[in-house]
């Protein structure tokens, strides 16, 4: 559907373009790398992300954080849900700083698990940030069409994701925090 999850896929592609420009504009060769991954099989049991963490293309210990963009196409009243706020010690200050500099308000959930791909990373002691604009009446129906989404809101989410990503590649490495909430 358009929101679940063409919206997340679209924001990932926008973010890749924006961050390639960011990397081109800086001469700092100490920036962390960013990998953009699309997973399949989420609704069937998070199979794509489970396969990745079981068969990683790099040492999982080198992953600073996983940012999940799932269903980000229906920003309403500039309110956003961010899960994983308690999965890194540094998120206590980092997340509020990034959100405060944006036009959104955020509802923070400290836990690192949920019905989306970030869960598999959290289970491997990797901090996670899960951006989510909420369930709509169109969720998992044929009515989940492009005209039911909020493209301007998606652009705001892309800019917020960029701000998070820039901090994650520039700041010191994160300290994983196990959070059972």
């Amino acid at each position: 559907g358009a929101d679940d999850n063409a919206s997340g896929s679209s924001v990932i592609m926008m973010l890749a373009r924006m961050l390639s420009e960011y990397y081109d504009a800086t001469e700092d060769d100490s920036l962390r790398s960013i990998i953009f991954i699309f997973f399949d099989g989420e609704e069937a049991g998070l199979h794509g992300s489970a396969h990745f963490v079981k068969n990683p293309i790099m040492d999982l210990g080198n992953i600073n954080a996983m940012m999940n963009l799932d269903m980000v196409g229906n920003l309403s009243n500039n309110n956003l849900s961010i899960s994983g706020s308690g999965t890194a010690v540094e998120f206590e200050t980092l997340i509020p700083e990034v959100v405060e500099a944006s036009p959104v308000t955020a509802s923070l959930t400290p836990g690192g698990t949920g019905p989306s791909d970030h869960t598999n990373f959290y289970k491997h002691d990797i901090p996670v940030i899960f951006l989510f604009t909420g369930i709509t009446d169109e969720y998992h129906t044929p009515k989940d069409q492009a005209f039911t989404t909020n493209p301007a809101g998606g652009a705001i989410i892309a800019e917020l994701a960029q701000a998070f990503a820039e901090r994650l590649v520039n700041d010191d490495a994160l300290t994983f925090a196990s959070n059972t909430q």
Side-chain angles (χ1 to χ4, degrees):
D3 188 28
D4 187 21
N5 190 34
S7 65
S9 299
S10 298
V11 169
I12 290 170
M13 290 187 290
M14 291 172 58
L15 184 59
R17 181 188 49 78
M18 294 181 327
L19 288 170
S20 71
E21 293 168 1
Y22 175 75
Y23 274 79
D24 287 346
T26 184
E27 300 198 12
D28 184 355
D29 58 2
S30 68
L31 297 176
R32 287 182 188 82
S33 298
I34 297 177
I35 297 174
F36 297 92
I37 301 176
F38 295 80
F39 297 114
D40 196 5
E42 183 218 35
E43 275 88 0
L46 308 180
H47 296 304
S49 57
H51 179 79
F52 177 83
V53 297
K54 288 177 187 167
N55 304 284
I57 59 172
M58 82 261 289
D59 179 357
L60 292 179
N62 291 333
I63 299 176
N64 195 33
M66 188 277 199
M67 185 177 358
N68 189 7
L69 300 161
D70 185 7
M71 292 183 61
V72 292
N74 279 301
L75 187 65
S76 177
N77 299 318
N78 284 342
N79 293 317
L80 173 69
S81 172
I82 301 176
S83 294
S85 63
T87 63
V89 172
E90 296 78 6
F91 284 171
E92 185 175 337
T93 55
L94 186 150
I95 290 175
E97 287 173 1
V98 172
V99 170
E100 186 176 300
S102 78
V104 303
T105 57
S107 170
L108 304 181
T109 303
T113 61
S116 195
D117 291 303
H118 61 286
T119 296
N120 287 315
F121 288 81
Y122 176 76
K123 289 178 178 179
H124 282 82
D125 297 342
I126 298 169
V128 297
I129 298 175
F130 174 38
L131 305 181
F132 178 67
T133 58
I135 301 285
T136 65
D137 291 339
E138 294 80 28
Y139 177 64
H140 282 188
T141 73
K143 295 178 184 175
D144 186 5
Q145 304 268 334
F147 69 87
T148 66
T149 64
N150 175 358
I156 291 170
I157 300 299
E159 290 173 355
L160 182 67
Q162 178 182 13
F164 277 124
E166 288 177 7
R167 289 288 300 268
L168 293 171
V169 300
N170 283 295
D171 290 4
D172 291 335
L174 298 174
T175 307
F176 179 76
S178 178
N179 190 310
T180 58
Q181 295 181 6

Short mmCIF file of all heavy atoms in Angstrom, two decimals, residues 4-28:
data_model
loop_
_atom_site.label_atom_id
_atom_site.label_comp_id
_atom_site.label_asym_id
_atom_site.label_seq_id
_atom_site.Cartn_x
_atom_site.Cartn_y
_atom_site.Cartn_z
N ASP A 4 1.72 1.70 3.85
CA ASP A 4 2.38 0.48 4.33
C ASP A 4 2.79 -0.39 3.15
O ASP A 4 2.01 -1.21 2.70
CB ASP A 4 1.45 -0.28 5.27
CG ASP A 4 2.13 -1.47 5.94
OD1 ASP A 4 3.37 -1.47 6.00
OD2 ASP A 4 1.42 -2.37 6.39
N ASN A 5 3.99 -0.22 2.59
CA ASN A 5 5.00 0.65 3.10
C ASN A 5 5.72 1.39 1.95
O ASN A 5 6.92 1.57 1.97
CB ASN A 5 6.01 -0.10 3.95
CG ASN A 5 6.93 0.85 4.69
OD1 ASN A 5 6.53 1.92 5.07
ND2 ASN A 5 8.16 0.47 4.84
N ALA A 6 4.99 1.86 0.99
CA ALA A 6 5.62 2.70 -0.02
C ALA A 6 6.13 3.99 0.59
O ALA A 6 7.13 4.55 0.15
CB ALA A 6 4.65 2.99 -1.16
N SER A 7 5.46 4.47 1.64
CA SER A 7 5.91 5.72 2.28
C SER A 7 7.31 5.54 2.86
O SER A 7 8.19 6.40 2.67
CB SER A 7 4.93 6.17 3.35
OG SER A 7 4.86 5.25 4.43
N GLY A 8 7.56 4.45 3.58
CA GLY A 8 8.87 4.20 4.14
C GLY A 8 9.93 4.02 3.06
O GLY A 8 11.03 4.57 3.14
N SER A 9 9.57 3.27 2.02
CA SER A 9 10.51 3.07 0.90
C SER A 9 10.85 4.39 0.23
O SER A 9 12.00 4.65 -0.11
CB SER A 9 9.91 2.10 -0.11
OG SER A 9 9.67 0.85 0.49
N SER A 10 9.85 5.25 0.04
CA SER A 10 10.08 6.55 -0.59
C SER A 10 10.98 7.42 0.26
O SER A 10 11.89 8.09 -0.25
CB SER A 10 8.75 7.26 -0.83
OG SER A 10 7.94 6.52 -1.70
N VAL A 11 10.74 7.44 1.56
CA VAL A 11 11.57 8.26 2.44
C VAL A 11 12.99 7.72 2.46
O VAL A 11 13.95 8.51 2.47
CB VAL A 11 10.95 8.36 3.86
CG1 VAL A 11 11.94 8.98 4.84
CG2 VAL A 11 9.66 9.17 3.82
N ILE A 12 13.17 6.41 2.43
CA ILE A 12 14.52 5.86 2.39
C ILE A 12 15.25 6.32 1.13
O ILE A 12 16.42 6.71 1.18
CB ILE A 12 14.50 4.32 2.47
CG1 ILE A 12 14.06 3.87 3.86
CG2 ILE A 12 15.87 3.72 2.12
CD1 ILE A 12 13.77 2.39 3.96
N MET A 13 14.56 6.32 -0.01
CA MET A 13 15.22 6.77 -1.25
C MET A 13 15.52 8.27 -1.20
O MET A 13 16.59 8.70 -1.64
CB MET A 13 14.36 6.41 -2.45
CG MET A 13 14.33 4.90 -2.69
SD MET A 13 13.51 4.38 -4.21
CE MET A 13 11.81 4.75 -3.84
N MET A 14 14.61 9.06 -0.63
CA MET A 14 14.89 10.49 -0.46
C MET A 14 16.08 10.69 0.47
O MET A 14 16.96 11.52 0.21
CB MET A 14 13.66 11.21 0.11
CG MET A 14 12.49 11.32 -0.83
SD MET A 14 10.99 11.96 -0.01
CE MET A 14 11.55 13.53 0.61
N LEU A 15 16.10 9.94 1.55
CA LEU A 15 17.18 10.05 2.52
C LEU A 15 18.53 9.67 1.90
O LEU A 15 19.54 10.33 2.15
CB LEU A 15 16.87 9.16 3.73
CG LEU A 15 17.82 9.20 4.90
CD1 LEU A 15 17.93 10.60 5.48
CD2 LEU A 15 17.33 8.22 5.98
N ALA A 16 18.54 8.64 1.09
CA ALA A 16 19.78 8.25 0.41
C ALA A 16 20.31 9.38 -0.47
O ALA A 16 21.51 9.68 -0.45
CB ALA A 16 19.55 6.98 -0.42
N ARG A 17 19.41 10.04 -1.20
CA ARG A 17 19.84 11.17 -2.03
C ARG A 17 20.36 12.32 -1.16
O ARG A 17 21.43 12.87 -1.41
CB ARG A 17 18.69 11.67 -2.91
CG ARG A 17 19.11 12.84 -3.82
CD ARG A 17 17.93 13.48 -4.55
NE ARG A 17 16.80 13.80 -3.72
CZ ARG A 17 16.71 14.87 -2.90
NH1 ARG A 17 17.72 15.69 -2.80
NH2 ARG A 17 15.62 15.10 -2.20
N MET A 18 19.60 12.66 -0.12
CA MET A 18 20.00 13.79 0.73
C MET A 18 21.33 13.51 1.42
O MET A 18 22.19 14.40 1.52
CB MET A 18 18.90 14.09 1.76
CG MET A 18 17.62 14.59 1.11
SD MET A 18 16.21 15.04 2.19
CE MET A 18 16.29 13.99 3.56
N LEU A 19 21.53 12.29 1.90
CA LEU A 19 22.78 11.98 2.58
C LEU A 19 23.95 11.85 1.63
O LEU A 19 25.09 12.15 2.00
CB LEU A 19 22.61 10.73 3.44
CG LEU A 19 21.75 10.96 4.68
CD1 LEU A 19 21.43 9.64 5.35
CD2 LEU A 19 22.41 11.92 5.64
N SER A 20 23.70 11.45 0.38
CA SER A 20 24.81 11.43 -0.59
C SER A 20 25.30 12.85 -0.83
O SER A 20 26.51 13.08 -0.94
CB SER A 20 24.39 10.76 -1.90
OG SER A 20 23.49 11.56 -2.63
N GLU A 21 24.39 13.81 -0.85
CA GLU A 21 24.78 15.21 -0.99
C GLU A 21 25.53 15.69 0.25
O GLU A 21 26.50 16.44 0.16
CB GLU A 21 23.55 16.08 -1.25
CG GLU A 21 22.90 15.80 -2.60
CD GLU A 21 21.52 16.44 -2.76
OE1 GLU A 21 21.04 17.12 -1.84
OE2 GLU A 21 20.92 16.21 -3.83
N TYR A 22 25.10 15.25 1.42
CA TYR A 22 25.77 15.60 2.67
C TYR A 22 27.20 15.07 2.67
O TYR A 22 28.15 15.78 3.01
CB TYR A 22 24.98 15.04 3.85
CG TYR A 22 25.64 15.23 5.20
CD1 TYR A 22 25.64 16.48 5.81
CD2 TYR A 22 26.25 14.17 5.86
CE1 TYR A 22 26.24 16.67 7.04
CE2 TYR A 22 26.84 14.35 7.09
CZ TYR A 22 26.84 15.60 7.68
OH TYR A 22 27.43 15.78 8.90
N TYR A 23 27.38 13.80 2.27
CA TYR A 23 28.71 13.21 2.22
C TYR A 23 29.57 13.91 1.18
O TYR A 23 30.76 14.12 1.40
CB TYR A 23 28.63 11.71 1.91
CG TYR A 23 28.43 10.85 3.13
CD1 TYR A 23 27.18 10.70 3.71
CD2 TYR A 23 29.51 10.18 3.71
CE1 TYR A 23 27.01 9.91 4.83
CE2 TYR A 23 29.34 9.38 4.83
CZ TYR A 23 28.09 9.25 5.39
OH TYR A 23 27.92 8.47 6.50
N ASP A 24 28.98 14.29 0.04
CA ASP A 24 29.74 14.99 -0.99
C ASP A 24 30.19 16.36 -0.52
O ASP A 24 31.25 16.85 -0.91
CB ASP A 24 28.90 15.16 -2.27
CG ASP A 24 28.73 13.86 -3.03
OD1 ASP A 24 29.47 12.88 -2.74
OD2 ASP A 24 27.84 13.81 -3.91
N ALA A 25 29.40 17.01 0.34
CA ALA A 25 29.70 18.37 0.78
C ALA A 25 30.73 18.41 1.90
O ALA A 25 31.33 19.45 2.15
CB ALA A 25 28.42 19.06 1.25
N THR A 26 30.95 17.30 2.58
CA THR A 26 31.91 17.29 3.67
C THR A 26 33.21 16.64 3.23
O THR A 26 33.23 15.79 2.36
CB THR A 26 31.34 16.56 4.91
OG1 THR A 26 32.29 16.66 5.96
CG2 THR A 26 31.07 15.10 4.63
N GLU A 27 34.27 17.07 3.84
CA GLU A 27 35.56 16.46 3.54
C GLU A 27 36.03 15.61 4.71
O GLU A 27 37.18 15.20 4.77
CB GLU A 27 36.57 17.54 3.20
CG GLU A 27 36.12 18.34 1.99
CD GLU A 27 37.23 19.13 1.35
OE1 GLU A 27 38.39 18.91 1.67
OE2 GLU A 27 36.90 19.95 0.49
N ASP A 28 35.12 15.33 5.63
CA ASP A 28 35.44 14.54 6.82
C ASP A 28 35.36 13.06 6.46
O ASP A 28 34.29 12.51 6.25
CB ASP A 28 34.44 14.88 7.93
CG ASP A 28 34.76 14.19 9.23
OD1 ASP A 28 35.71 13.37 9.26
OD2 ASP A 28 34.06 14.47 10.22
#
